Amino acid sequence: MTELVKLTLHDDWAEIRLNRPERHNALVPEVLDDLHRAIEAAKAAAPRALVLTGEGRSFSTGGDVGAFLEAASDPEQLRAYSERVVGGLHDALMKLLAFPAPVIARVNGPVTGGSVGFVLASDMVIMSQRAFVQPYYGVVGFGPDGGWTALLPEKIRTARALEVQYLNTRLSAEECVSLGLASRVVETEELDTGIQEWLGGIREMNASTLAATRANVWDAPRRAQVKARLDQEKARFLERISAPDTREGMQRFTNRH
């Protein structure tokens, strides 16, 4: 059976890789369950840094719209499925924000929908030139999740965050750097070199100091604020998911993709 999330423990760092490339690493409950286990196992290994990435051509395209549509024939099933996906994603983001070592996103390809939360929960982000960020919420009819309203405005300022979502703007890797969503853009084949350069710099620092720095930034009060806003995102996602126009949007989206 294929591992949907791969955890690789290196000498002093850990890598978590989403491994559903045939579906562009789209998020389903089984992926999120494996992701939770991987984060906990990585934390137990006490690495100097945690790297998040995706297998194949995409980093992750967020929730699997086709899977939501399959559940849409039964309103109760759809709500339970949505609760599991969005709740599982948000719980994973909270675990990442509390992770006791630097978190690095290795964005190997497109990252859309709620999976942008993995970028927002990371401290350092390196992107392939072919990667991009895009919301798609207004196209499908979903409520934004994964931190699009809870974390993104703080990163790129409120007006820009709203504009991106109102117009379904596709942000190139270069634009992500200019907005502060990413630190570096490289050719795809240079991603690992860039990661190793960062890891080399981290190794020269006192690990306890870096852990204290991250804990100060993502302290309990700040994480509580984020959780409250993520809970708000989930509540509005659940309101939108059963709306007739959302079902129509899912049908149009899946027919085009």
Side-chain angles (χ1 to χ4, degrees):
M1 185 173 179
T2 303
E3 291 179 276
L4 294 174
V5 176
K6 292 182 178 180
L7 170 64
T8 304
L9 299 176
H10 300 275
D11 289 341
D12 60 355
W13 63 284
E15 180 191 81
I16 290 177
R17 182 176 296 255
L18 302 177
N19 187 38
R20 199 180 176 227
E22 73 284 356
R23 294 293 296 168
H24 299 279
N25 300 316
L27 304 177
V28 292
E30 295 79 8
V31 169
L32 291 162
D33 289 346
D34 283 358
L35 177 60
H36 279 272
R37 286 190 285 269
I39 295 172
E40 291 297 332
K43 179 180 177 181
R48 293 196 59 125
L50 173 64
V51 176
L52 306 175
T53 192
E55 185 67 35
R57 293 186 54 79
S58 298
F59 180 85
S60 177
T61 52
D64 191 322
V65 178
F68 279 105
L69 188 58
E70 287 178 8
S73 59
D74 182 336
E76 291 186 7
Q77 179 183 352
L78 178 60
R79 184 177 178 86
Y81 180 85
S82 303
E83 174 88 35
R84 190 174 172 194
V85 171
V86 179
L89 170 61
H90 289 179
D91 288 346
L93 297 181
M94 294 307 301
K95 287 182 178 180
L96 290 172
L97 292 178
F99 199 82
V103 177
I104 299 171
R106 177 189 178 277
V107 183
N108 53 301
V111 51
T112 62
S115 292
V116 169
F118 299 130
V119 174
L120 297 173
S122 298
D123 308 317
M124 302 164 72
V125 179
I126 186 169
M127 296 183 72
S128 161
Q129 281 192 327
R130 61 181 176 80
F132 63 83
V133 166
Q134 194 165 2
Y136 282 107
Y137 293 103
V139 174
V140 180
F142 290 165
D145 65 340
W148 277 93
T149 59
L151 288 165
L152 186 65
E154 182 180 337
K155 283 271 189 177
I156 67 173
R157 299 195 178 185
T158 300
R160 186 67 169 127
L162 289 172
E163 177 190 324
V164 168
Q165 294 175 77
Y166 290 161
L167 301 179
N168 192 37
T169 303
R170 176 172 293 191
L171 298 174
S172 68
E174 289 80 6
E175 287 172 315
C176 287
V177 170
S178 69
L179 288 170
L181 279 175
S183 305
R184 292 182 63 183
V185 179
V186 298
E187 297 288 347
T188 303
E189 59 270 19
E190 296 174 358
L191 284 169
D192 290 332
T193 299
I195 291 291
Q196 290 305 316
E197 289 175 359
W198 279 349
L199 291 172
I202 287 171
R203 288 187 185 100
E204 295 178 2
M205 303 298 138
N206 183 291
S208 295
T209 296
L210 300 191
T213 301
R214 193 165 204 271
N216 285 346
V217 170
W218 293 112
D219 61 3
R222 190 178 183 193
R223 284 186 281 113
Q225 289 180 341
V226 172
K227 184 180 186 307
R229 296 188 68 82
L230 289 176
D231 287 347
Q232 178 175 267
E233 287 187 350
K234 183 176 73 171
R236 290 191 170 141
F237 189 102
L238 294 175
E239 289 174 3
R240 290 290 314 141
I241 194 63
S242 59
D245 59 329
T246 299
R247 182 166 184 170
E248 292 169 3
M250 289 191 288
Q251 290 170 333
R252 286 195 302 270
F253 185 85
T254 54
N255 288 336
R256 291 200 303 264
H257 293 77

